[in-house]
Amino acid sequence: MDGRIKEIDTQMYKTFGSDVSMIWEEDTKKAIWGHCYLPDPEMIHQVALLVAAFRGRVITITPYLHGEEDTPKKLSIAYHFDIRGVTITSTIALKDGLHKVKSITPVLKSADWNEREMQEMYHVTVEGHPNPQRLFLDDSINLTEDTMVPLSMAMSGATSTTLWEKVMGSPKEGMGKDE
């Protein structure tokens, strides 16, 4: 096992014990990455502290809905980190109906824009964020779970009013269907 991996694995075990298990994978070009599921959303803060101790950074944060057809969708968040060239993804599932997570920006400044985007575009409350101002949308536009816009829909609506109608709930005043 690569020395960096062993060190990360050891610290994860010291922090979480057997509650969290890193799964390591390697591709044909010897790129190594690890991923784990955190059973408690509060644990992401401890992972951020560990990443900071290794002088790592946030690559990106990916909120996503999942679940069986005909059942309410659950919101999970995958945090993607880089520690000395090793990618680690730690995923949390938010509790039903509670779209709240503690900010990791005070620990890792590289989480700033990702957390702000998550608040604005995915209706997730990021508690304790040092600068919770919006990045993209006017304050008068409030998105909910029902108005989350998948990238595929956003791209197909890039040259029409489709995206605007999804966000606003009705055709934009003065515009035709595909203007």
Side-chain angles (χ1 to χ4, degrees), residues 19-83:
D19 290 342
V20 175
S21 178
M22 289 296 299
I23 298 167
W24 295 99
E25 301 190 38
E26 182 176 3
D27 67 14
T28 57
K29 295 184 179 182
K30 304 294 182 204
I32 301 170
W33 65 93
H35 52 94
C36 67
Y37 171 77
L38 303 174
D40 181 353
E42 296 289 321
M43 290 176 158
I44 196 61
H45 193 261
Q46 293 169 287
V47 172
L49 290 169
L50 189 141
V51 171
F54 279 108
R55 307 193 84 178
R57 65 181 178 89
V58 172
I59 299 170
T60 194
I61 300 172
T62 311
Y64 61 95
L65 291 171
H66 61 92
E68 299 297 320
E69 216 173 297
D70 301 327
T71 63
K73 302 292 184 221
K74 294 189 182 280
L75 182 65
S76 288
I77 304 171
Y79 292 78
H80 310 279
F81 302 102
D82 173 76
I83 299 176

Side-chain angles (χ1 to χ4, degrees), residues 65-131:
L65 291 171
H66 61 92
E68 299 297 320
E69 216 173 297
D70 301 327
T71 63
K73 302 292 184 221
K74 294 189 182 280
L75 182 65
S76 288
I77 304 171
Y79 292 78
H80 310 279
F81 302 102
D82 173 76
I83 299 176
R84 293 186 248 149
V86 176
T87 301
I88 296 170
T89 299
S90 295
T91 302
I92 61 172
L94 299 184
K95 295 176 177 141
D96 292 338
L98 294 176
H99 289 186
K100 292 181 182 180
V101 67
K102 185 176 177 181
S103 176
I104 63 169
T105 297
V107 177
L108 294 166
K109 295 208 182 302
S110 52
D112 180 28
W113 279 40
N114 287 280
E115 288 188 336
R116 288 169 61 192
E117 178 188 26
M118 186 167 52
Q119 252 183 180
E120 181 177 342
M121 305 298 281
Y122 297 95
H123 198 61
V124 173
T125 301
V126 181
E127 296 176 331
H129 193 283
N131 181 17

